[in-house]
Amino acid sequence: MCTVRGLVKTYPAARGRRGAPATPAVRASDGIDLDVVRGEVFGLLGPNGAGKSTLVRQLTGLLRPDEGRVRVLGHDLVRHPERAARLLGYLGQDSTALDELTVSLAAETTARLRGLDTRAARAERDAVIEELGLGELAGRPLKKLSGGQRRLACVAAALVGERPLLVLDEPTTGMDPVARRAVWAAVDRRRAERGVTVLLVTHNVIEAETVLDRVAVLDRGRVIACDTPTGLKALVADEVRLELVWRAEPPLDVPEVADLRKAAEAARSADGVTGRRWTLRLPPEAARAAIATVTGGPAFAALDDFTLATPSLEDVYIALGGRAEGAEGLVKA
Amino acid sequence: MSVVPALSGASGTAGVPGVSDAPAGLSGASGARGASGVPGASDGSGTSGEAGDMPAPLAARARLLPALAAVYRAQLSRARVARIPLLFVATFQSVGIMILMRGVVDGGSEARSVVAGSSVLVVAFVALNLLAQYFGQLRASGGLDHYATLPVPPAAVVLGAAAAYASFTVPGTAVTAVMGSALFQLPMAHLWILLAVIPLSGAALAGLGAALGLLAPRQELATLCGQLGMSAALLLGVLPAARMPQVVSYARDLLPSTYGVEALARAFDGQPDWWAICADLGVCAGVAVVSLAAATWAYRRAAVR
């Protein structure tokens, strides 16, 4: 369906200008291999600057890779980037091109530009507006809508005109749960009825767990893991996450509690001690013992709340060595 | 007292049963989705190699004229949202300049060139300046990606936008020309020539504006170029040519709007020199073809980086 081999893209170094320091060359794609199977919802997960959008822009023919191969449905998109527009529907992060149009005109114009004739374009427009529940907003310009509504209108524009592959760059940013559900229902329907494949860029780990068939975790231009969400979670299956919230000073004179604090303080970046909240990653046995300690005796009097959870994709991400904060830029070439 | 809420709070959360559930849930590791297509695909190497054998059929391309019409219509609709105040500004600016110049020039050929220059200035303001800003903004924000991932001919996007911006100038130019004629007592008999002047100089300036907007490395530079172009059209078009130094009059000859101004100024004669008007408009048309071709090339270049 979609095969990527050895994809490399380096952004050249920029000279420093007044007020803007020089930036070194950045390897935004560093030998990426991917296989997306027909009919699956495939996710790209990673922090800001991990190279997700760069990868997607190369898959959609918007950016020419320095090296490597991109094949979509049997077409070589490195050699023929112009074919991408006839194979896939793309939802970018920006809506400037549509901002001043009304929702219905944005969908209709996009359908016309996807090669549909007037009648077909209007039919598609009406169908997608109905499907996404945009009826009441149809006559309003995108500019006047809230962020989530505008995003939904952009999704409508991306969905008009049949395409076997949909590439969606953070489609549900800013949406309320109703809109979110409408988007996933629309995507799912296209997959069930026409076998549409979806390539999804996302930040949202919870969403990733519920809608994705497979995930590639990107970090610094590399795929650091690629599996089903469940498969990825199995990588850290030997640990559970325990969160303790104290209402008062925790009784550190109890040796077990003192040990827990030490363990929390030694934890990796996203965990640890923040005020009266301790987050720990423990083997299930140790977690059970810890809970027995804090739910009895003097510790229980000081305990406000505790939660115990199986690993999320976020835990996987941290366990794989991705950066939790995403503070620094991409790795230098 | 505090023990009781704490007790209910603690047991109310995931709680102890969660502990015994956790390993089972983890080792089970088979969601409905997870079980579907994974085992073959997860190791990634060559599983979808068969996709390379038969290229899938490509969806139809959008043809030039329908796509152009769709872009034109979409751009025109933007006027309602964003452009009308600017059109007023453009018109007031030109009318104001004519009123100012009334104290400086007194009839004759100078008055003709002031009215013609002010009228074409509306075209320069909208087609050159605003279009350069629009494309500059579209390029800087990544909005071009939207068009670049649709199977449209680049010419359809550029020509559609240029045509729409040229259309925006019609009311302002007509109003300015009529008011100017009244103000300076010029004959209005041949004002119909605007029907040729607006589209031809509009196309030339819109092409130039689009090319500037798409080629400028930064958005601010696109805005700056558009503003400078408009200022040039203002100074070189409105001020009577006879009073300019030699060097400046060369610059005047290089500016495409000049030929629109000249054509309109000639039409204010009682007996216009139609050949000269045709020659001026021919220059406009030539520049329009070249600048729109340049803008289309610039669009291609900007869309795929």
Side-chain angles (χ1 to χ4, degrees), chain B residues 45-282:
Chain B
S45 57
T47 37
S48 56
E50 79 275 22
D53 302 333
M54 269 302 284
L58 294 165
R61 247 192 217 108
R63 280 170 301 124
L64 177 68
L65 286 180
L68 198 158
V71 173
Y72 178 74
R73 184 168 161 238
Q75 291 287 345
L76 265 199
S77 85
R78 292 175 62 231
R80 262 180 300 175
V81 181
R83 292 288 97 86
I84 285 176
L86 287 168
L87 295 184
F88 270 110
V89 171
T91 312
F92 282 140
Q93 169 183 277
S94 289
V95 171
I97 287 169
M98 288 191 303
I99 292 172
L100 271 178
M101 292 299 280
R102 211 155 76 111
V104 183
V105 302
D106 39 333
S109 73
E110 293 193 336
R112 286 199 285 269
S113 68
V114 166
V115 176
S118 303
S119 305
V120 175
L121 179 61
V122 180
V123 182
F125 183 88
V126 177
L128 181 85
N129 183 18
L130 295 186
L131 192 58
Q133 290 187 27
Y134 174 68
F135 272 119
Q137 185 205 3
L138 208 57
R139 195 189 141 181
S141 64
L144 276 185
D145 289 359
H146 177 75
Y147 291 115
T149 49
L150 295 171
V152 250
V157 179
V158 172
L159 292 178
Y165 273 73
S167 308
F168 293 152
T169 69
V170 171
T173 312
V175 166
T176 308
V178 170
M179 283 189 71
S181 306
L183 215 57
F184 290 88
Q185 280 113 39
L186 296 174
M188 293 190 216
H190 302 300
L191 269 190
W192 56 264
I193 197 76
L194 281 176
L195 292 178
V197 170
I198 295 175
L200 290 175
S201 56
L205 292 170
L208 200 61
L212 286 176
L214 289 166
L215 288 174
R218 280 185 296 155
Q219 189 184 351
E220 307 85 79
L221 285 179
T223 306
L224 186 72
C225 290
Q227 298 276 10
L228 282 179
M230 194 195 67
S231 304
L234 167 64
L235 292 173
L236 303 177
V238 177
L239 298 181
R243 300 191 189 174
M244 287 177 189
Q246 193 66 39
V247 186
V248 179
S249 72
Y250 286 137
R252 186 172 183 275
D253 292 344
L254 284 177
L255 200 69
S257 67
T258 303
Y259 300 91
V261 176
E262 300 256 294
L264 184 56
R266 285 182 216 277
F268 285 125
D269 273 340
Q271 295 288 317
D273 179 351
W274 294 111
W275 289 115
I277 290 179
C278 286
D280 284 332
L281 292 178

Side-chain angles (χ1 to χ4, degrees), chain A residues 210-233:
Chain A
T210 51
V211 302
L212 298 179
D213 294 323
R214 283 199 302 140
V215 199
V217 183
L218 254 68
D219 190 48
R220 299 166 201 243
R222 292 170 186 274
V223 176
I224 56 175
C226 180
D227 204 343
T228 61
T230 322
L232 285 182
K233 284 194 278 186

Side-chain angles (χ1 to χ4, degrees), chain A:
Chain A
M1 168 77 207
C2 172
T3 321
V4 176
R5 287 287 173 274
L7 207 61
V8 174
K9 178 74 192 176
T10 308
Y11 290 118
R15 262 185 314 142
R17 286 210 189 93
R18 249 185 312 165
T23 50
V26 168
R27 203 159 235 236
S29 297
D30 193 3
I32 290 178
D33 294 334
L34 280 182
D35 289 282
V36 181
V37 184
R38 189 179 141 84
E40 74 176 340
V41 180
F42 188 93
L44 295 172
L45 188 71
N48 295 323
K52 304 186 295 288
S53 290
T54 301
L55 173 58
V56 161
R57 290 175 60 83
Q58 293 173 91
L59 296 180
T60 49
L62 289 169
L63 196 68
R64 197 179 286 275
D66 298 337
E67 282 172 41
R69 227 152 47 83
V70 176
R71 286 186 82 83
V72 172
L73 290 157
H75 295 275
D76 181 345
L77 291 189
V78 177
R79 195 173 298 163
H80 307 288
E82 76 286 350
R83 289 187 189 168
R86 298 167 69 187
L87 289 169
L88 54 88
Y90 173 62
L91 171 69
Q93 289 193 12
D94 186 82
S95 65
T96 324
L98 301 175
D99 264 352
E100 283 157 353
L101 308 183
T102 61
V103 174
S104 78
L105 190 59
E108 185 188 335
T109 305
T110 309
R112 294 281 281 141
L113 298 183
R114 283 219 172 93
L116 273 60
D117 63 37
T118 313
R119 216 150 49 90
R122 293 200 171 140
E124 288 258 345
R125 170 198 71 187
D126 294 339
V128 81
I129 283 178
E130 165 78 32
E131 187 177 19
L132 294 181
L134 280 166
E136 282 178 19
L137 306 175
R140 291 172 57 189
L142 265 69
K143 223 179 181 174
K144 304 263 160 91
L145 303 179
S146 74
Q149 292 171 329
R150 192 181 313 160
R151 200 72 192 135
L152 191 60
C154 290
V155 171
L159 292 181
V160 292
E162 280 185 33
R163 288 289 188 266
L165 174 63
L166 293 173
V167 179
L168 311 174
D169 197 341
E170 299 186 21
T172 55
T173 312
M175 283 186 193
D176 64 29
V178 178
R180 232 172 247 268
R181 209 166 290 177
V183 170
W184 296 127
V187 166
D188 234 24
R189 197 173 69 75
R190 277 161 180 74
R191 180 161 74 147
E193 289 176 7
R194 303 181 212 143
V196 167
T197 310
V198 183
L199 187 67
L200 185 77
V201 176
T202 182
H203 264 311
N204 187 331
V205 178
I206 297 169
E207 196 164 273
E209 282 188 46
T210 51
V211 302
L212 298 179
D213 294 323
R214 283 199 302 140
V215 199
V217 183
L218 254 68
D219 190 48
R220 299 166 201 243
R222 292 170 186 274
V223 176
I224 56 175
C226 180
D227 204 343
T228 61
T230 322
L232 285 182
K233 284 194 278 186
L235 290 176
V236 288
D238 54 333
E239 287 189 337
V240 293
R241 187 158 47 91
L242 173 65
E243 215 169 85
L244 302 173
V245 185
W246 303 99
R247 74 172 65 235
E249 276 308 308
L252 291 174
D253 49 325
V254 179
E256 287 93 341
V257 175
D259 286 348
L260 280 176
R261 184 181 167 99
K262 241 177 258 161
E265 277 172 340
R268 274 183 295 252
S269 53
D271 308 337
V273 178
T274 40
R276 292 205 177 129
R277 181 180 294 269
W278 299 359
T279 310
L280 297 118
R281 253 153 257 265
L282 300 169
E285 297 308 314
R288 206 172 306 181
I291 285 177
T293 311
V294 297
T295 49
F300 189 59
L303 188 67
D304 188 34
D305 196 3
F306 74 88
T307 46
L308 185 69
T310 57
S312 66
L313 273 186
E314 197 167 279
D315 299 300
V316 174
Y317 183 71
I318 291 162
L320 288 170
R323 292 153 300 150
E325 309 300 331
E328 49 189 303
L330 290 164
V331 76
K332 286 167 187 115

